[in-house]
Amino acid sequence: MQSPLFNGVLLINKDADCTSHQMVQEVRKILKQKSIGHAGTLDPMARGLLVVLCGSATKLSPYFLNQNKRYDLSLKFGLQTDTLDFQGETLHSEDVSLKKEDVKRVLEQGACDLEIPVPLFSAVKVKGQKLYSYAFKGKKIQPPMKKMSFFDLEIHEIQKDSACLSLSCSKGSYIRSWVNYLGQKMKTGACLTGLKRVSSGEFKLKNSLTVSQLKQKVSQQFPMDEQALKQRLGESFLFSSSALTQFPQIELTARNAKLLKQGRMPLYVLSHAQKEQIAVNKGGQSQILKAVKGEKLLALLELRPFEKIKILRNFPQQSL
């Protein structure tokens, strides 16, 4: 019997000391499905929310990668490592005793837009190779600068040489780079000692499952269809139509869905998207619209200023 294909977003609580790829591999085994990916890597040392994409939702990765992230973290002053976290090789270590008001001031000043170097141990490519490949080979190379945004700082605790806090950041920002920046401002050096992702866009860690919990909930009932999976996992599994909360939607009939699948734009869409089209024409910027039937995502459409609506991508439409 062929295993069912699950399409949607699965929220996983990643363990520390394992890679995001290993988490994806575990989910593939549990759901018996190869088409599994994720929307944003977590460092091996980090734990917390990993947004896993199943089936056709893997095609939606760019829309989820663009979202802001929020983390709980801890850092230590007086310690510098090559990886910018506690698991790296020590480059400098000293005992420090800092004033709480000085640490608080630097933390608050760091919650802003910055242009700082990306970590040397990262997947950013320079001259066609990932930075960590240079680092592993012992080759010296200057990490590129990158604009990053850090905001919504919440300080939980400050000690003489450490701090615990929560912080939000824009897509592609590196918390390790931010901590290193703080160490430079304090003139003591600093490294990341703990990291937990608590949200990614609208997705929350509190709604996630560990792989052990996922296995327990799924294995005893397998095989199951998407509806049964949703009933078993609740808020930990979202259909693609529900996960794309940033886009307005239009509900289609089976007949109009068939036309869309054939690459033809239904008149129903043209007439019911007039309000959005007027706003796009006025604003001069494109707008994505999701076409759905019930809980199924049928297509992503693009409203363009003074142009015809474009079909960006059609999605499988079984059992409409």
Side-chain angles (χ1 to χ4, degrees), residues 293 296 317-320:
K293 185 179 185 299
K296 290 189 176 294
Q317 298 185 17
Q318 299 97 333
S319 305
L320 284 175

Side-chain angles (χ1 to χ4, degrees), residues 138-157:
K139 295 183 178 180
K140 291 186 177 181
I141 190 166
Q142 186 67 32
M145 305 291 286
K146 184 177 183 181
K147 291 182 179 180
M148 310 180 198
S149 296
F150 303 93
F151 51 96
D152 290 344
L153 171 70
E154 184 180 352
I155 301 173
H156 303 305
E157 183 180 20

Side-chain angles (χ1 to χ4, degrees), residues 246-291:
Q246 67 270 47
F247 302 141
Q249 72 178 36
I250 184 168
E251 180 83 24
L252 299 185
T253 62
R255 179 177 178 276
N256 287 325
K258 185 177 181 180
L259 290 174
L260 205 59
K261 184 178 181 180
Q262 295 170 349
R264 301 159 61 189
M265 187 61 62
L267 292 176
Y268 179 86
V269 173
L270 298 175
S271 62
H272 281 72
Q274 285 184 0
K275 183 178 178 180
E276 289 84 358
Q277 185 67 60
I278 291 172
V280 166
N281 293 344
K282 184 177 180 180
Q285 291 187 336
S286 298
Q287 167 71 57
I288 293 178
L289 182 70
K290 56 184 180 183

Side-chain angles (χ1 to χ4, degrees), residues 226-246:
E226 281 183 347
Q227 289 292 340
L229 183 70
K230 174 63 179 173
Q231 290 176 359
R232 293 289 294 172
L233 303 187
E235 293 181 302
S236 299
F237 181 77
L238 299 90
F239 295 111
S240 298
S241 58
S242 302
L244 291 170
T245 56
Q246 67 270 47

Side-chain angles (χ1 to χ4, degrees), residues 77 100-111 153 178 181-186:
F77 293 103
K100 287 187 177 182
E101 55 266 31
D102 291 338
V103 175
K104 183 175 184 291
R105 173 177 49 81
V106 169
L107 289 173
E108 291 175 343
Q109 290 177 349
L153 171 70
W178 185 73
Y181 166 82
L182 296 178
Q184 293 174 344
K185 298 293 285 186
M186 290 299 297

